[in-house]
Amino acid sequence: MSNTSYNPYEIAQQQFDSVASKLDLDAATCELLRQPMREYHFTIPVKMDDGSTKIFKGFRVQHNDARGPAKGGIRFHPMETVDTIRALSLWMTWKCSVVDIPLGGAKGGVICDPRNLTEREQERLCRGYVRQLAKNVGPNSDVPAPDVMTNAKHMLWMLDEYETIHGSRYPGFITGKPVGMGGSLGRTEATGFGVIYVLNEALKNLNIPIENTTASFQGFGNVSQYAVRLYQQLGGKVVAISCWNETDKKAYTFRKLDGMDINALVSITDSYGTIDKEKAMGLGYEVLPGDAWIEQDVDILIPAAMENQITIENVNKISKQVKVITEAANGPTTPDADKVIADRNIFLIPDFLANAGGVTCSYFEQVQSNQNYYWEKDEVLEKLNTKMTSAFKSVYELSQSKGLRMREAAYVIAINRVAQAVKSRGWI
Ligand code: NAD
């Protein structure tokens, strides 16, 4: 899944090392925290509908569980790599820590393309994934969730397999379940809404009224669709959105300078976040090259697709008008591009803070599942807003008082909390 010239795991470790070197951490703590504590690599034989058997490669990586059970999504992607999963597991630890929820970090993935698998094949793959891991995950040890190209249906198959193996009901084993089957109201919206809660807070601090702003998004999947929705509700204008087109094997940017009708756009988008090119043109959209999203004269850029998307090759295409970048995706900015953004004084809200709404709501789902008592949607979203806003404020205050960039300040808070947990447990 990663761009070949950037290894997300090396980037995640570099980010950790650069902050850890400024903190008063001993060598053992640094060594423990810069790599995952446990990894599972396995094969998953799946009976295909045509009677053949295909072998898929799966991973689960648990980075650190000192603050609580590990937590992290499972991705299905044809270009998945274990190093991407490792990086994401580290970022999950920092994410749970920066929003101060009592969970650690993990991530999982399967090298596969669900777009080329039937429903039944996907179900067998989900069940096979859980069979390989059933002893090493669970509501008190490691709680999976959906991520790129996995959804509520996959989570329910995984839960059913886990409960079949363990002979009881464990609704807290997995999050992102369908509402009515242990899922939390608000979970679908949570990551995208969380991105906008922190963006809104940033704009208030920068004295920029959100209703005067324009934005360009990369990606139009779960995160982006709800971020666009809330951003527009608050008065912002979205002028460009890019997404991947699997048939053409390239990305396109869809632009409408007078703003977009989100409902109309969603109605011509498939479940993988691909906007129908012909129908978009019919609705008056300009269809531009994939990278055009980054070149727009807007106030806000929101990368909400994949890692390694803002690189040294395209960072200088960012318009002078851009004031804020909110990293909705995990790891969208490479370290060299990050330096250019810092030098240009663009206010950047780092990924593990900006997109923490998903895991925060997953935590709420787990709490509700373990109690078997479910909250109203308004209650969930209000609690989410409180958590995200408070995390943003802590990071912002530290960045202001110590003269740190937001990414550094977020790392300082997150790493310190995990290091403290490791120490308090007597591991080091
Ligand atoms: P998704 O699969 O629903 O959507 C991904 C979108 O990105 C699709 O529209 C796809 O077409 C687009 N895309 C892929 N490659 C692209 C490219 N090269 N150029 C332009 N668009 C491209 O995924 P999602 O759940 O929305 O997740 C998006 C990002 O947010 C990922 O980095 C994910 O790890 C992160 N994230 C997701 C959640 C969550 O709750 N879903 C939580 C935290 C972080």
Coordinates of all heavy atoms in Angstrom, one line a residue, residues 13-49:
Q13 N 9.1 5.5 12.7 CA 10.2 5.4 13.7 C 11.0 6.7 13.7 O 11.5 7.2 14.8 CB 11.1 4.2 13.3 CG 10.4 2.9 13.6 CD 11.4 1.7 13.5 OE1 12.2 1.6 12.6 NE2 11.3 0.8 14.5
Q14 N 11.2 7.3 12.5 CA 12.0 8.6 12.5 C 11.2 9.7 13.3 O 11.8 10.5 14.1 CB 12.1 9.2 11.1 CG 13.2 8.6 10.2 CD 13.0 8.9 8.8 OE1 12.3 9.9 8.4 NE2 13.6 8.1 7.9
Q15 N 9.9 9.7 13.1 CA 9.1 10.7 13.9 C 9.3 10.5 15.4 O 9.4 11.4 16.2 CB 7.6 10.6 13.5 CG 7.3 11.1 12.1 CD 5.9 10.8 11.7 OE1 5.2 10.0 12.3 NE2 5.5 11.5 10.6
F16 N 9.2 9.2 15.8 CA 9.4 8.8 17.2 C 10.7 9.3 17.7 O 10.9 9.9 18.7 CB 9.1 7.3 17.4 CG 9.5 6.9 18.8 CD1 8.6 7.1 19.9 CD2 10.8 6.4 19.1 CE1 9.0 6.8 21.2 CE2 11.1 6.0 20.4 CZ 10.2 6.2 21.4
D17 N 11.8 8.9 16.9 CA 13.2 9.1 17.3 C 13.4 10.6 17.5 O 14.1 11.0 18.5 CB 14.2 8.6 16.3 CG 14.2 7.1 16.3 OD1 13.7 6.4 17.2 OD2 14.7 6.5 15.3
S18 N 12.9 11.4 16.6 CA 13.2 12.8 16.7 C 12.6 13.5 17.9 O 13.1 14.4 18.5 CB 12.8 13.6 15.4 OG 11.5 13.9 15.4
V19 N 11.4 13.0 18.3 CA 10.8 13.6 19.5 C 11.4 12.9 20.8 O 11.7 13.6 21.8 CB 9.2 13.4 19.5 CG1 8.6 13.9 20.8 CG2 8.6 14.1 18.4
A20 N 11.6 11.6 20.7 CA 12.2 10.9 21.9 C 13.5 11.5 22.3 O 13.8 11.6 23.5 CB 12.3 9.4 21.6
S21 N 14.3 11.9 21.3 CA 15.6 12.4 21.6 C 15.5 13.7 22.4 O 16.5 14.1 23.1 CB 16.4 12.7 20.3 OG 15.8 13.7 19.5
K22 N 14.4 14.4 22.3 CA 14.2 15.7 23.1 C 13.6 15.4 24.4 O 13.5 16.3 25.2 CB 13.4 16.7 22.3 CG 14.0 17.1 21.0 CD 13.1 18.0 20.2 CE 13.6 18.2 18.8 NZ 12.6 18.4 17.8
L23 N 13.1 14.2 24.6 CA 12.4 13.9 25.9 C 13.5 13.2 26.8 O 14.5 12.7 26.3 CB 11.2 13.0 25.7 CG 10.1 13.6 24.9 CD1 9.0 12.5 24.6 CD2 9.5 14.7 25.6
D24 N 13.2 13.2 28.1 CA 14.1 12.6 29.0 C 13.8 11.1 29.1 O 13.5 10.6 30.2 CB 13.9 13.3 30.4 CG 15.1 13.0 31.3 OD1 16.1 12.6 30.8 OD2 14.9 13.3 32.5
L25 N 13.9 10.4 28.0 CA 13.6 8.9 28.1 C 14.8 8.1 28.1 O 15.8 8.4 27.4 CB 12.8 8.5 26.8 CG 11.4 9.1 26.6 CD1 10.8 8.5 25.3 CD2 10.5 8.9 27.8
D26 N 14.8 7.0 28.9 CA 16.0 6.2 29.0 C 16.0 5.3 27.7 O 15.0 5.1 27.0 CB 16.0 5.3 30.2 CG 14.7 4.5 30.3 OD1 14.7 3.4 29.7 OD2 13.7 5.0 30.8
A27 N 17.2 4.7 27.5 CA 17.4 4.0 26.2 C 16.5 2.8 26.1 O 15.9 2.5 25.0 CB 18.9 3.5 26.2
A28 N 16.2 2.1 27.2 CA 15.3 0.9 27.1 C 13.9 1.3 26.7 O 13.2 0.6 25.9 CB 15.3 0.2 28.5
T29 N 13.4 2.4 27.3 CA 12.0 2.9 26.9 C 12.0 3.2 25.5 O 11.0 2.8 24.8 CB 11.6 4.1 27.8 OG1 11.7 3.7 29.2 CG2 10.2 4.5 27.5
C30 N 13.0 3.9 25.0 CA 13.0 4.3 23.5 C 13.0 3.0 22.7 O 12.3 2.9 21.7 CB 14.3 5.1 23.2 SG 14.2 6.7 23.8
E31 N 13.8 2.0 23.1 CA 13.9 0.8 22.3 C 12.6 0.1 22.3 O 12.1 -0.5 21.3 CB 15.0 -0.1 22.8 CG 15.5 -1.2 21.9 CD 16.5 -2.1 22.4 OE1 17.3 -1.6 23.3 OE2 16.5 -3.3 22.0
L32 N 11.9 0.1 23.4 CA 10.6 -0.6 23.5 C 9.6 0.1 22.7 O 8.8 -0.6 22.0 CB 10.1 -0.6 25.0 CG 8.8 -1.4 25.3 CD1 9.0 -2.9 25.1 CD2 8.3 -1.1 26.7
L33 N 9.5 1.4 22.7 CA 8.5 2.2 22.1 C 8.6 2.4 20.6 O 7.7 2.7 19.9 CB 8.3 3.5 22.8 CG 7.9 3.5 24.3 CD1 7.5 4.9 24.8 CD2 6.7 2.5 24.5
R34 N 9.8 2.2 20.1 CA 10.0 2.5 18.7 C 9.7 1.3 17.8 O 9.9 1.3 16.5 CB 11.5 3.0 18.4 CG 12.6 2.0 18.5 CD 13.9 2.7 18.4 NE 14.1 3.5 17.1 CZ 14.4 3.0 16.0 NH1 14.6 1.7 15.8 NH2 14.6 3.7 14.9
Q35 N 9.3 0.2 18.4 CA 8.9 -1.0 17.6 C 7.8 -1.7 18.2 O 7.5 -1.6 19.4 CB 10.1 -1.9 17.5 CG 10.6 -2.4 18.9 CD 11.9 -3.2 18.8 OE1 12.1 -4.0 17.9 NE2 12.8 -3.1 19.8
P36 N 7.1 -2.6 17.4 CA 5.9 -3.3 18.0 C 6.4 -4.4 19.0 O 7.4 -5.0 18.9 CB 5.3 -4.0 16.8 CG 5.8 -3.3 15.6 CD 7.2 -2.8 16.0
M37 N 5.5 -4.6 20.0 CA 5.8 -5.7 21.0 C 5.6 -7.1 20.5 O 6.2 -8.0 20.8 CB 5.0 -5.4 22.3 CG 5.3 -4.2 23.0 SD 4.4 -4.0 24.5 CE 5.3 -5.1 25.6
R38 N 4.5 -7.2 19.6 CA 4.2 -8.5 19.1 C 3.7 -8.4 17.6 O 3.0 -7.4 17.3 CB 3.0 -9.1 19.9 CG 3.4 -9.6 21.2 CD 2.2 -10.2 22.0 NE 1.3 -9.1 22.4 CZ 1.4 -8.4 23.5 NH1 2.4 -8.6 24.3 NH2 0.6 -7.4 23.8
E39 N 4.0 -9.4 16.9 CA 3.5 -9.5 15.5 C 3.0 -10.9 15.1 O 3.7 -11.8 15.5 CB 4.6 -9.1 14.5 CG 5.1 -7.7 14.5 CD 6.0 -7.3 13.4 OE1 6.3 -8.2 12.5 OE2 6.5 -6.2 13.4
Y40 N 2.0 -11.0 14.4 CA 1.5 -12.2 13.9 C 1.4 -12.2 12.4 O 0.8 -11.3 11.8 CB 0.1 -12.6 14.5 CG 0.1 -12.5 16.0 CD1 -0.3 -11.4 16.7 CD2 0.5 -13.6 16.7 CE1 -0.3 -11.3 18.1 CE2 0.6 -13.6 18.1 CZ 0.2 -12.4 18.8 OH 0.2 -12.4 20.2
H41 N 2.1 -13.1 11.7 CA 2.1 -13.2 10.3 C 1.5 -14.6 10.0 O 2.0 -15.6 10.5 CB 3.5 -13.1 9.7 CG 4.2 -11.8 9.9 ND1 5.2 -11.3 9.1 CD2 4.2 -11.0 11.0 CE1 5.6 -10.2 9.6 NE2 5.0 -10.0 10.7
F42 N 0.5 -14.6 9.1 CA -0.1 -16.0 8.8 C -0.7 -16.0 7.4 O -0.9 -15.0 6.8 CB -1.2 -16.2 9.9 CG -2.1 -15.0 10.2 CD1 -3.2 -14.8 9.5 CD2 -1.7 -14.1 11.2 CE1 -4.1 -13.7 9.7 CE2 -2.6 -13.0 11.4 CZ -3.7 -12.8 10.7
T43 N -1.0 -17.2 7.1 CA -1.7 -17.5 5.8 C -3.2 -17.8 6.0 O -3.5 -18.4 7.1 CB -1.0 -18.6 5.0 OG1 -0.8 -19.7 5.9 CG2 0.3 -18.2 4.4
I44 N -4.0 -17.5 5.1 CA -5.5 -17.7 5.3 C -5.9 -18.4 4.0 O -6.1 -17.8 2.9 CB -6.3 -16.4 5.4 CG1 -5.6 -15.5 6.5 CG2 -7.7 -16.7 5.8 CD1 -6.2 -14.1 6.5
P45 N -6.2 -19.8 4.1 CA -6.7 -20.4 2.9 C -8.2 -20.1 2.8 O -8.9 -20.2 3.8 CB -6.5 -21.9 3.2 CG -5.8 -22.0 4.6 CD -5.9 -20.7 5.2
V46 N -8.6 -19.7 1.6 CA -10.0 -19.4 1.4 C -10.6 -20.2 0.2 O -10.0 -20.2 -0.9 CB -10.2 -17.9 1.1 CG1 -11.6 -17.6 0.7 CG2 -9.8 -17.1 2.3
K47 N -11.7 -20.9 0.5 CA -12.4 -21.7 -0.6 C -13.1 -20.6 -1.5 O -13.9 -19.9 -1.0 CB -13.4 -22.6 -0.1 CG -12.8 -23.8 0.7 CD -12.9 -25.1 -0.2 CE -12.3 -26.3 0.5 NZ -11.2 -26.2 1.4
M48 N -12.7 -20.6 -2.8 CA -13.3 -19.6 -3.7 C -14.6 -20.2 -4.3 O -14.8 -21.4 -4.2 CB -12.3 -19.3 -4.8 CG -11.0 -18.8 -4.3 SD -11.0 -17.3 -3.3 CE -11.1 -16.0 -4.5
D49 N -15.4 -19.3 -4.8 CA -16.7 -19.8 -5.3 C -16.6 -20.8 -6.5 O -17.5 -21.6 -6.7 CB -17.6 -18.6 -5.8 CG -18.1 -17.8 -4.6 OD1 -17.9 -18.3 -3.4 OD2 -18.8 -16.8 -4.8

